[in-house]
Coordinates of all heavy atoms in Angstrom, one line a residue:
E1 N 7.8 1.6 0.1 CA 8.6 0.6 0.9 C 7.9 0.1 2.1 O 7.9 -1.1 2.5 CB 9.9 1.0 1.2 CG 10.8 1.3 0.0 CD 11.1 0.1 -0.7 OE1 11.4 -0.9 -0.2 OE2 10.9 0.1 -2.2
Q2 N 7.2 1.0 2.8 CA 6.5 0.5 4.0 C 5.4 -0.4 3.8 O 5.1 -1.2 4.8 CB 6.1 1.8 4.8 CG 4.9 2.5 4.3 CD 4.6 3.7 5.1 OE1 5.2 4.0 6.2 NE2 3.5 4.5 4.8
Y3 N 4.8 -0.4 2.6 CA 3.6 -1.4 2.4 C 4.2 -2.8 1.9 O 3.3 -3.7 1.9 CB 2.7 -0.8 1.4 CG 2.0 0.6 1.8 CD1 2.3 1.7 1.3 CD2 1.0 0.3 2.7 CE1 1.6 2.8 1.6 CE2 0.3 1.5 3.1 CZ 0.7 2.7 2.7 OH -0.1 3.8 3.1
K4 N 5.4 -2.8 1.5 CA 5.9 -4.2 1.0 C 5.8 -5.2 2.0 O 6.2 -5.1 3.1 CB 7.3 -4.0 0.4 CG 7.4 -3.3 -0.9 CD 8.8 -3.4 -1.5 CE 8.8 -2.7 -2.8 NZ 10.2 -2.7 -3.3
G5 N 5.3 -6.4 1.5 CA 5.2 -7.5 2.4 C 4.1 -7.6 3.4 O 4.0 -8.4 4.2
I6 N 3.2 -6.6 3.2 CA 2.0 -6.6 4.3 C 0.8 -7.3 3.5 O 0.4 -7.0 2.4 CB 1.5 -5.3 4.6 CG1 2.7 -4.5 5.3 CG2 0.3 -5.3 5.5 CD1 2.3 -3.1 5.7
K7 N 0.3 -8.5 4.1 CA -0.6 -9.4 3.5 C -1.9 -8.5 3.4 O -2.4 -7.7 4.3 CB -0.8 -10.5 4.4 CG -1.8 -11.6 3.9 CD -1.9 -12.8 4.7 CE -3.0 -13.7 4.1 NZ -3.3 -14.8 5.1
G8 N -2.7 -8.5 2.3 CA -3.8 -7.8 2.1 C -3.7 -6.4 1.6 O -4.7 -5.7 1.4
V9 N -2.4 -6.0 1.3 CA -2.2 -4.7 0.7 C -1.6 -4.7 -0.6 O -0.5 -5.4 -0.8 CB -1.3 -3.8 1.7 CG1 -1.0 -2.5 1.2 CG2 -1.9 -3.7 3.1
E10 N -2.1 -4.1 -1.6 CA -1.5 -3.9 -2.9 C -1.2 -2.5 -3.0 O -2.0 -1.6 -2.7 CB -2.5 -4.3 -4.0 CG -2.6 -5.8 -4.0 CD -3.7 -6.2 -5.1 OE1 -3.7 -5.6 -6.1 OE2 -4.5 -7.2 -4.8
H11 N 0.1 -2.0 -3.3 CA 0.4 -0.7 -3.5 C 1.3 -0.3 -4.7 O 2.2 -1.3 -5.0 CB 1.2 -0.3 -2.1 CG 1.6 1.1 -2.2 ND1 2.9 1.6 -2.6 CD2 0.9 2.2 -1.8 CE1 2.8 2.9 -2.5 NE2 1.8 3.4 -2.0
S12 N 1.0 0.7 -5.3 CA 1.8 1.0 -6.6 C 2.0 2.6 -6.7 O 0.9 3.2 -6.2 CB 1.3 0.4 -7.8 OG 0.0 1.0 -8.2
I13 N 3.0 3.0 -7.2 CA 3.1 4.4 -7.5 C 3.7 4.5 -8.9 O 4.6 3.9 -9.2 CB 4.1 5.2 -6.5 CG1 3.5 5.1 -5.1 CG2 4.3 6.6 -6.9 CD1 4.5 5.8 -4.0
D14 N 3.0 5.2 -9.7 CA 3.5 5.4 -11.2 C 3.9 7.0 -11.2 O 3.1 7.7 -11.0 CB 2.4 5.2 -12.1 CG 2.8 5.4 -13.6 OD1 4.0 5.2 -13.9 OD2 2.0 5.8 -14.3
F15 N 5.1 7.2 -11.5 CA 5.7 8.5 -11.5 C 5.7 9.0 -13.0 O 6.4 8.4 -13.9 CB 7.1 8.7 -11.0 CG 7.2 8.4 -9.5 CD1 7.5 7.1 -9.1 CD2 7.0 9.4 -8.6 CE1 7.5 6.8 -7.7 CE2 7.0 9.2 -7.3 CZ 7.3 7.9 -6.8
G16 N 4.9 9.9 -13.4 CA 4.8 10.5 -14.7 C 5.6 11.8 -14.8 O 6.3 12.2 -13.7
D17 N 5.5 12.4 -15.9 CA 6.4 13.6 -16.0 C 5.9 14.8 -15.2 O 6.6 15.6 -14.7 CB 6.5 14.1 -17.6 CG 7.3 13.1 -18.4 OD1 8.1 12.5 -17.9 OD2 7.1 13.1 -19.6
D18 N 4.5 15.0 -15.2 CA 3.8 16.0 -14.5 C 3.1 15.6 -13.1 O 2.7 16.5 -12.4 CB 2.9 16.8 -15.3 CG 3.5 17.2 -16.6 OD1 4.6 17.8 -16.5 OD2 2.9 17.1 -17.6
E19 N 2.9 14.4 -12.9 CA 2.1 13.9 -11.9 C 2.5 12.5 -11.4 O 3.0 11.8 -12.3 CB 0.5 14.1 -12.1 CG 0.1 13.2 -13.1 CD -1.4 13.5 -13.5 OE1 -1.9 14.6 -13.2 OE2 -2.0 12.6 -14.1
L20 N 2.1 12.1 -10.2 CA 2.3 10.7 -9.9 C 0.9 10.2 -9.5 O 0.0 10.9 -9.1 CB 3.1 10.5 -8.6 CG 2.7 11.2 -7.3 CD1 1.9 10.1 -6.5 CD2 3.9 11.4 -6.4
T21 N 0.7 8.9 -9.7 CA -0.6 8.2 -9.4 C -0.2 7.1 -8.5 O 0.6 6.2 -8.7 CB -1.2 7.7 -10.6 OG1 -1.4 8.7 -11.6 CG2 -2.5 6.9 -10.3
E22 N -0.7 7.2 -7.3 CA -0.6 6.1 -6.2 C -1.9 5.4 -6.1 O -3.0 6.0 -6.1 CB -0.2 6.7 -4.9 CG -0.1 5.7 -3.8 CD 0.0 6.2 -2.5 OE1 -0.6 7.3 -2.3 OE2 0.9 5.8 -1.7
T23 N -1.9 4.0 -6.1 CA -3.0 3.3 -5.7 C -2.7 2.3 -4.7 O -1.6 1.5 -4.7 CB -3.3 2.4 -7.1 OG1 -3.5 3.3 -8.1 CG2 -4.7 1.7 -6.9
V24 N -3.7 2.3 -3.7 CA -3.5 1.3 -2.6 C -4.8 0.6 -2.5 O -5.9 1.2 -2.3 CB -3.2 2.1 -1.2 CG1 -3.1 1.2 -0.1 CG2 -2.1 3.1 -1.4
T25 N -4.7 -0.7 -2.4 CA -5.9 -1.5 -2.3 C -5.7 -2.4 -1.1 O -4.7 -3.1 -0.9 CB -6.1 -2.5 -3.5 OG1 -6.3 -1.7 -4.7 CG2 -7.3 -3.3 -3.3
L26 N -6.7 -2.3 -0.2 CA -6.8 -3.1 1.0 C -8.0 -4.1 0.9 O -9.0 -3.8 0.6 CB -7.1 -2.2 2.3 CG -6.2 -1.0 2.4 CD1 -6.6 -0.2 3.7 CD2 -4.7 -1.4 2.7
T27 N -7.6 -5.5 1.0 CA -8.6 -6.5 1.1 C -8.7 -7.0 2.5 O -7.7 -7.6 3.0 CB -8.0 -7.7 0.1 OG1 -7.9 -7.1 -1.2 CG2 -9.1 -8.8 0.0
Y28 N -9.8 -6.5 3.1 CA -10.0 -6.8 4.5 C -9.8 -8.2 5.0 O -9.4 -8.5 6.1 CB -11.2 -6.1 5.1 CG -10.9 -4.5 5.1 CD1 -10.8 -3.7 4.1 CD2 -10.4 -4.0 6.3 CE1 -10.6 -2.4 4.2 CE2 -10.1 -2.7 6.6 CZ -10.0 -1.9 5.5 OH -9.7 -0.6 5.6
A29 N -10.3 -9.2 4.3 CA -10.4 -10.6 4.8 C -8.9 -11.1 4.8 O -8.7 -11.9 5.7 CB -11.1 -11.4 3.7
D30 N -8.0 -10.6 4.2 CA -6.6 -11.0 4.0 C -5.7 -10.1 4.8 O -4.5 -10.5 5.0 CB -6.1 -11.1 2.6 CG -6.9 -12.0 1.7 OD1 -7.5 -12.9 2.3 OD2 -7.0 -11.7 0.5
L31 N -6.1 -8.9 5.2 CA -5.3 -7.9 5.8 C -4.6 -8.3 7.1 O -5.3 -8.6 8.0 CB -6.1 -6.6 5.9 CG -5.3 -5.3 6.1 CD1 -4.3 -4.9 5.2 CD2 -6.4 -4.2 6.3
D32 N -3.2 -8.0 7.0 CA -2.5 -8.2 8.3 C -2.6 -6.8 9.1 O -1.7 -5.8 8.9 CB -1.1 -8.5 8.0 CG -0.3 -8.8 9.4 OD1 -0.7 -8.2 10.4 OD2 0.8 -9.3 9.3
L33 N -3.6 -6.5 9.8 CA -3.9 -5.2 10.5 C -2.9 -4.8 11.4 O -2.5 -3.6 11.5 CB -5.4 -5.2 11.3 CG -6.5 -5.3 10.3 CD1 -7.8 -5.6 11.1 CD2 -6.6 -4.0 9.6
E34 N -2.3 -5.8 12.1 CA -1.2 -5.3 13.1 C 0.0 -4.9 12.4 O 0.6 -3.9 12.9 CB -0.9 -6.6 14.1 CG -2.0 -6.9 15.0 CD -1.7 -8.1 15.9 OE1 -0.5 -8.2 16.3 OE2 -2.6 -8.8 16.3
K35 N 0.4 -5.5 11.3 CA 1.5 -5.1 10.5 C 1.2 -3.7 9.9 O 2.1 -3.0 9.9 CB 2.0 -6.2 9.5 CG 3.3 -5.9 8.9 CD 3.9 -7.0 8.2 CE 5.3 -6.7 7.7 NZ 5.8 -7.8 6.8
L36 N 0.1 -3.6 9.4 CA -0.2 -2.3 8.7 C -0.2 -1.2 9.6 O 0.4 -0.2 9.5 CB -1.5 -2.4 8.1 CG -2.1 -1.1 7.4 CD1 -1.1 -0.7 6.3 CD2 -3.5 -1.3 6.9
A37 N -0.7 -1.5 10.8 CA -0.8 -0.4 12.0 C 0.7 0.0 12.4 O 1.0 1.1 12.8 CB -1.7 -0.9 13.2
S38 N 1.5 -1.1 12.5 CA 2.9 -1.0 12.9 C 3.6 0.1 12.0 O 4.5 0.8 12.4 CB 3.6 -2.2 13.3 OG 4.0 -2.7 11.9
V39 N 3.4 0.0 10.7 CA 4.2 0.8 9.7 C 3.5 2.1 9.5 O 4.2 3.1 9.2 CB 4.4 0.2 8.4 CG1 5.3 -1.1 8.5 CG2 3.2 0.0 7.6
T40 N 2.2 2.4 9.8 CA 1.5 3.6 9.7 C 1.2 4.5 10.9 O 0.8 5.5 10.8 CB 0.2 3.3 9.0 OG1 -0.6 2.4 9.8 CG2 0.3 2.6 7.6

């Protein structure tokens, strides 16, 4: 939830039966660094 709406951030979590897979992609040219810093 904290990553939603932050420009330049793609985030997903896939919950499997035994493990979860999280993927976070940051595209620096598009990244809203101030908003990302505020949530993290």
